[in-house]
Structures are given as structure tokens and as C-alpha cells.
């Protein structure tokens, strides 16, 4: 299928000119183009029109999971008939393996994997290997190691009606594809066998495929809804990909074991020559233990540290990543478009990943915790990243030095998008003191008084602080003063962050307090007032770029305005205010010339967490929505009723319902405690 935008929206403002310029640049082979678009000018819609025009598979890179989820939802709205997927790190919690020589402290790797995000990652890679109308919205995890796309694709199976295979052979095939057998409810990457049927839940979707066998053939295929057990379809064929991205054939595994053994021998010789007997004993015990597990079960904790041997790569060769799954031309050149969203933040992030990872690995190797090949289990360095992507479009209201220096003809260009389709202009800015002076109450009380007036009008308020602790403390203080507020920062789990933003847009609460996550790319048209606490504290969070981005949060509402709390006008403040005033004047002149009346952006509120919830979480969430109003009126009665229902479910051995009720009770109680505090 071709990329096809399905929307009533039409390019307006500066969008038509920007689209034409960028499409022309792609067609002329430009490697680096920058879309310099002010906040709220519709950069995502412009990018979508470019994708439709050039018809190339596209990678969109965002600098955090929250923004990536929002972008994925926007692209799905634009391209409902095409494959739009979400690819981010599947860790809810991740503590990397490390060693601190100063205190002789070894920290073992600890990780908690989100199974639903892992499913979405498989959906991304499988879409890339089976079709071309694909948009993958990814975080910077796209430059980290992933299994070989050749091996991943090579072992996938086309299961069709009449396929010659016995039930026993099918079970062995599923195990060889890293599927796990279960007798309980199916989850992605598992299967169960009953009689002459085998039920499989692939890794990329929450659906069941039931295979009915007759002798040595697949007689029938049924696509089943996993919750209702209703028949969705009776397909003639479906494709079965492995349940893990790292796929190693048996002969390659044996070769890898020999290579690891040889490397161990070399490293032991090095340590003994240097008189490092402790390090030699340490690496010998660990590697031999890992090798024993690999021989017996094909896996060990930290197996990714041996990935170079399993992939057959030479030392220093870049790992396979998500970029490897995108199409390439016959000569190996990338055959896809890359859009780097909020590039002034994303580019530095991409640049910094390799050095931090290498420093940690070098320490582990030097002290005998890992073999030297562990350093090749790494993200791409920036030069490798540049070679792995094709033509790039950088989008930002404040492009960085890299984008501006590369966007020079003939290899690149800049497309400006200052005039918004809605006629909205950059917000008015007011500067207020931080400290209390005379009748002036200080920044916190002044903000509260201002926020109360805005909230009364039905709008929402955004306020940024310098630290996480300040965000939490201010949120609590606002709640005490009668302003319903929530905080958000990097310690909040991915799905919870997205849920908070969705609730904010819905009006569940009125004031959102944050630190850095609120700066770039968050589309919140309900926000009328943006306040920046301690705006004169020069630094990363109060640089010219950060200030312009934060000010832009108020540019999606016709009544949007910004309050900067500062006791002095720093160079960053001066530049940010000056640039905002410059853009505002250009926009006002354009509106007057064309008789345009600005209009607040109207955007449907969608719960973008739904794609990432497990069935259990979704069921709990649904129950909470049903019972929330009753709970608000009489919490004790609702909790008593729920506990009674839970006990009744246990008595009849309906443990699934009991678990749902248990988790709903916990969630309701947790929310109540949070509101009380």
C-alpha cells in the first residue's frame, strides 16, 4: 500500500511552502534538511505530507518515550491505513552492570521488562520486514543492539492451510522459535496444545491463532479474540516470527562458544602477564559459568555481552540495530527517510550514548568482570549513526549548531515555518520578580493567584521548576491551596507519564508541574498560562533554547501567555524574549494583511496509553472508570462492596476476577491517599 493521509486538514500558513521545499530537497538527494517551525505551527503535519509525497519508509526519532508515544498517535491519525508503530526501550526499570574501583563495588545488572512494549517492538520489526508503508516512531533506543534482521527473517515461517507438518513437529518448531509452552492464559510469545489443536499468540499482536491438525497437515486456521474467544477470521495463512530478536542457529551457537573460549584464553594470558591474578580468576569463573549455561540451555544472564561472537562480527564492527531492519538499496545504501523530532535535544542525546556506555564497559573489562568483546555490545557511535540513516529532516523551533551547519546547499537547506495555520501568534510575556517585595507576595503566591483566575475560566496551567523535588513540593503546596495539581518528571514510569498528560488534557486536574519533560513537543492546547519559576538561573534548563521551547507551550491557545519569574534579565532571557517578540510581530503582520482571526487549536483527547496496557491492566482501568464516581461519593461503601465481591470470586475459584478486584481496590485506595496528601 502507498502512504495516504486521511484527514480533513489541509496545509495552511507556511506549511505549503515548507512541504514543497522539503519534498524538492528529498527528490534532489539532500542529506540534511531542517524544518525550523515555531511551536504549534504543525511540524508533524508538514512531515506527514512529506512522507506522503516521497513514499519512503520512515523512521521518526524522538528524545523521550512520552513524546514518541504522542507522535505515534498523531501519525496513526494521519495514516490510519498504513503501518505506524512505536519502538522504545522495553525496560520499566534498568540498572546497568557496573564496577566502581574506588569503593570496590560491583553492581549487577537489574532490569524489569515491560512485556507490552516488547510486543510493540516485535510489531515494528515484523512490519519492516513485510511491507514498505511503514512509519516507526522510536526513542534513541533505536541505535542500541538488536538481533540480526537476516537471521530474524530467515527463521520466520509461513503457516497456511494444508501446510505439511505434524502436531509434534509444530511444537518443536515453536520451541525452536523461542516460544514458551503454557497451560495457562496465553500471552505474546507463548503457545498451548490441547488434543489435535495448537493455540499460538504471536509476539506482535494480542490475538490467538488456533491450528487444527489432521494427520500430518494443518487442516484449519482460526483467528480468535483472546478475551471473548470470538472468531475474528478464518485466514488461509499467517506469518510466525521468532519470539526473540536475537536468533542464533545451532551451528552458529557452537562456533560462538569456541570463539568465546578462545577469547577467554587470550584474556587470561594478558591478566597473568600483568600479574592480575584476582582479575584472571574472576573472568575465568564467570565466563566458564556462562559457557556452561549456553551449552545446556542456549542462554545465560548477560548473554548480550557475547553478541559479537553470536553475530559473527569482528571487533569494532557496529552492532545490528533497528536501523538495520529498514530497507536498503542493492549497494547497501539506506532507502528510507529519517525525521529527527526536536533535533536540538535528540541530536546531542544520540551523540552522547556511545561514550557513556564505553566508559562503563572498559572498567568492567579492566577488572575482570567481562571479556573485551563486551564493549561491542553497545549503541552506535554518532559517525555510525550518520552512515546508517539516509536523508534526514530535522524539526525544531530552536535548531542546534549541528542542524544549522549541515543544512547548507547543496547537501542541505532550511525550511522556515513561522506562520501558523490557525493564525495563532507567539504568546505575550510578562516578567515578575522572584522574591517578595512590598505588596508583591513572591513568585509562588503570585503564580497561585494567577493560576486560580485562569482555572476559573476553564483553562489549564503549566508551571516548570528547576528540580524534581521542587516539582513535587510545589504540587503538594498547590493541592493544599485548593488547586488540583499533579507533577511529572523522569522518575515517573513511562505509561504513568502518558496517563498524567492525558488526564491533564481531559481536565481531571488543572495544573501540571514539571521539570524538563514539559519543554519539547508536548501538544497541550488547553494550556492558557505557562509559568517559569526561577527563570534567571542560567543553565541547561534556563538556556535560550529551553526558554523558547517552554514559552512555546502557550502558543497553541489564543489566550496563551507566559510569566517569567526573574530578578534579573540574563543573556538567555534577553535572547528568548527578543526572538519571541520578533516572531510575534511577523505573525501579527501576516494576520492583519490576510484578515485572519486566530483560533485555539482544537484537538481530540485520546488515551495513548491504551496501546501499552496489558489486558489485565486495561480491565482494571475500565473497572476504575465505572466505579470512580461512586467511590468519590462513598469510598467506604464501594471498598466494602468490592472486597465482598473479591471474596465471593475466591470461593468459587474465579481467581482472575478476584485479581482484577484486588488491583482495583489497591488503585482506588492509592489514588485516595495521594489526594489526601
Amino acid at each position: 500500500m502507498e502512504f495516504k493521509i486521511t484527514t480533513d486538514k489541509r496545509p495552511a500558513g507556511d506549511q505549503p511552502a515548507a512541504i514543497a521545499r522539503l519534498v524538492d530537497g528529498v527528490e534532489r538527494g539532500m542529506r540534511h534538511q531542517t524544518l525550523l517551525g515555531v511551536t504549534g505551527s504543525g511540524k508533524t503535519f508538514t512531515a506527514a505530507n512529506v512522507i506522503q509525497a516521497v513514499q519512503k519508509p520512515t523512521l521518526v526519532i524522538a528524545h523521550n518515550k512520552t513524546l514518541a508515544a504522542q507522535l505515534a498517535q498523531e501519525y496513526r491519525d494521519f495514516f490510519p491505513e498504513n503501518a505506524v508503530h512505536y519502538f522504545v526501550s522495553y525496560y520499566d526499570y534498568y540498572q546497568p552492570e557496573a564496577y566502581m574501583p574506588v569503593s570496590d563495588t560491583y553492581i549487577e545488572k537489574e532490569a524489569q521488562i515491560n512485556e507490552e512494549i516488547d510486543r510493540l517492538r516485535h510489531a515494528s520489526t515484523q512490519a519492516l520486514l513485510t511491507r514498505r508503508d511503514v512509519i516507526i516512531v522510536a526513542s534513541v533506543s533505536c541505535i542500541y543492539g538488536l538481533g540480526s534482521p537476516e537471521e530474524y527473517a530467515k527463521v520466520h515461517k509461513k503457516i497456511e492451510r494444508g501446510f505439511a507438518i505434524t502436531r509434534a513437529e509444530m511444537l518443536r518448531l515453536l520451541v525452536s522459535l523461542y516460544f514458551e509452552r503454557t497451560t495457562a492464559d496465553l500471552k505474546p510469545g507463548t503457545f498451548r496444545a490441547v488434543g489435535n489443536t495448537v493455540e499460538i499468540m504471536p509476539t506482535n499482536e494480542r490475538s490467538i491463532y488456533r491450528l487444527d491438525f489432521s494427520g500430518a497437515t494443518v487442516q484449519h486456521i482460526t483467528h480468535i479474540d483472546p478475551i471473548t474467544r470470538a472468531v475474528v477470521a478464518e485466514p488461509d495463512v499467517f506469518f510466525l516470527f521468532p519470539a526473540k530478536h536475537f536468533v542464533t542457529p545451532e551451528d552458529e551457537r557452537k562456533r560462538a562458544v569456541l570463539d568465546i573460549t578462545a577469547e577467554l584464553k587470550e584474556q587470561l594470558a594478558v591478566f597473568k602477564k600483568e600479574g592480575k591474578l584476582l582479575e584472571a580468576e574472576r573472568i575465568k569463573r564467570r565466563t566458564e559459568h556462562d559457557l556452561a549455561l549456553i551449552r545446556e540451555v542456549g542462554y545465560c544472564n548477560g548473554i548480550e555481552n557475547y553478541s559479537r561472537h553470536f553475530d559473527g562480527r569482528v571487533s569494532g564492527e557496529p552492532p545490528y540495530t533497528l536501523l538495520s531492519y529498514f530497507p536498503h538499496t542493492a549497494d547497501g545504501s539506506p532507502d528510507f527517510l529519517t525525521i529527527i523530532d526536536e533535533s536540538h535535544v535528540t541530536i546531542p542525546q544520540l551523540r552522547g550514548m556511545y561514550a557513556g556506555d564505553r566508559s562503563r564497559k572498559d572498567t568492567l573489562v579492566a577488572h575482570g568482570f567481562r571479556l573485551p568483546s563486551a564493549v561491542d555490545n553497545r549503541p552506535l557511535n554518532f559517525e555510525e549513526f550518520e552512515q546508517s540513516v539516509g536523508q534526514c529532516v530535522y524539526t525544531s523551533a530552536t535548531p542546534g549548531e549541528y542542524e544549522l551547519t549541515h543544512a547548507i546547499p547543496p547537501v542541505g537547506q532550511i525550511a522556515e515555518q513561522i506562520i501558523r495555520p490557525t493564525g495563532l501568534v507567539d504568546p505575550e510575556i510578562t516578567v515578575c520578580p522572584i522574591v517578595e517585595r512590598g505588596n508583591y507576595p513572591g513568585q509562588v503566591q503570585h503564580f497561585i493567584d494567577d493560576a486560580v483566575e485562569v482555572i476559573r475560566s476553564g483553562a489549564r496551567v503549566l508551571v516548570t521548576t528547576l528540580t524534581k523535588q521542587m516539582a513535587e513540593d510545589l504540587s503538594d503546596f498547590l493541592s493544599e491551596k485548593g488547586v488540583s495539581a499533579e507533577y511529572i518528571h523522569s522518575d515517573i514510569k513511562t505509561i504513568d507519564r502518558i496517563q498524567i498528560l492525558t488526564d491533564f488534557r481531559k481536565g481531571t486536574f488543572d495544573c501540571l508541574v514539571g521539570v524538563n519533560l514539559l519543554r519539547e513537543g508536548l501538544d497541550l492546547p488547553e494550556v492558557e498560562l505557562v509559568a517559569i519559576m526561577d527563570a534567571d538561573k542560567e543553565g541547561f534548563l534556563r538556556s535560550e533554547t529551553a526558554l523558547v521551547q517552554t514559552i512555546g507551550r502557550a502558543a497553541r491557545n489564543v489566550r496563551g501567555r507566559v510569566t517569567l519569574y526573574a530578578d534579573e534579565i540574563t543573556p538567555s532571557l534577553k535572547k528568548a524574549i527578543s526572538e519571541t517578540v520578533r516572531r510575534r510581530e511577523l505573525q501579527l503582520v501576516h494576520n492583519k494583511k490576510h484578515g485572519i482571526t486566530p483560533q485555539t487549536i482544537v484537538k481530540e483527547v485520546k488515551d495513548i496509553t491504551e496501546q501499552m496496557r496489558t489486558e489485565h491492566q486495561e480491565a482494571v482501568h475500565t473497572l476504575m472508570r465505572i466505579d470512580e464516581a461512586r467511590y468519590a461519593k462513598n469510598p467506604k461503601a464501594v471498598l466494602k462492596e468490592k472486597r465482598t465481591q473479591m471474596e465471593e470470586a475466591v470461593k468459587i475459584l474465579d481467581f482472575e476476577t478476584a485479581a482484577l478486584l484486588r488491583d482495583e481496590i489497591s488503585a482506588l485506595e492509592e489514588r485516595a491517599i495521594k489526594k489526601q496528601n
Side-chain angles (χ1 to χ4, degrees), residues 30 41 44 91 95 112 199 246 260 266 314 322 341 429 445 469 483 498 531 539 552 587 608 646:
M30 287 186 173
S41 63
T44 304
Y91 296 118
Q95 170 61 59
Q112 184 177 353
E199 293 188 337
F246 292 92
I260 295 167
E266 291 174 8
V314 298
L322 176 68
D341 198 77
I429 297 174
Q445 189 57 51
Q469 189 61 53
V483 177
I498 300 167
Q587 293 153 355
I608 53 181
M646 181 177 67

Side-chain angles (χ1 to χ4, degrees), residues 552-623:
R553 295 313 105 211
R556 288 179 166 88
N557 190 300
V558 72
R559 293 189 299 274
R561 57 190 177 88
V562 176
T563 302
L564 304 174
Y565 291 99
D567 289 328
E568 62 174 303
I569 301 299
T570 62
S572 292
L573 273 172
K574 185 176 181 180
K575 291 177 182 176
I577 294 170
S578 174
E579 176 61 16
T580 303
V581 170
R582 180 188 77 84
R583 295 176 179 180
R584 180 179 170 85
E585 288 175 351
L586 288 172
Q587 293 153 355
L588 288 170
V589 169
H590 176 84
N591 287 353
K592 185 177 180 181
K593 180 179 177 180
H594 296 278
I596 297 172
T597 301
Q599 297 177 350
T600 297
I601 293 173
V602 177
K603 195 163 189 177
E604 183 183 356
V605 182
K606 292 194 175 183
D607 189 351
I608 53 181
T609 60
E610 289 178 0
Q611 61 177 303
M612 290 179 287
R613 288 197 191 101
T614 63
E615 291 167 26
H616 179 83
Q617 290 170 326
E618 179 60 34
V620 172
H621 188 74
T622 301
L623 285 172

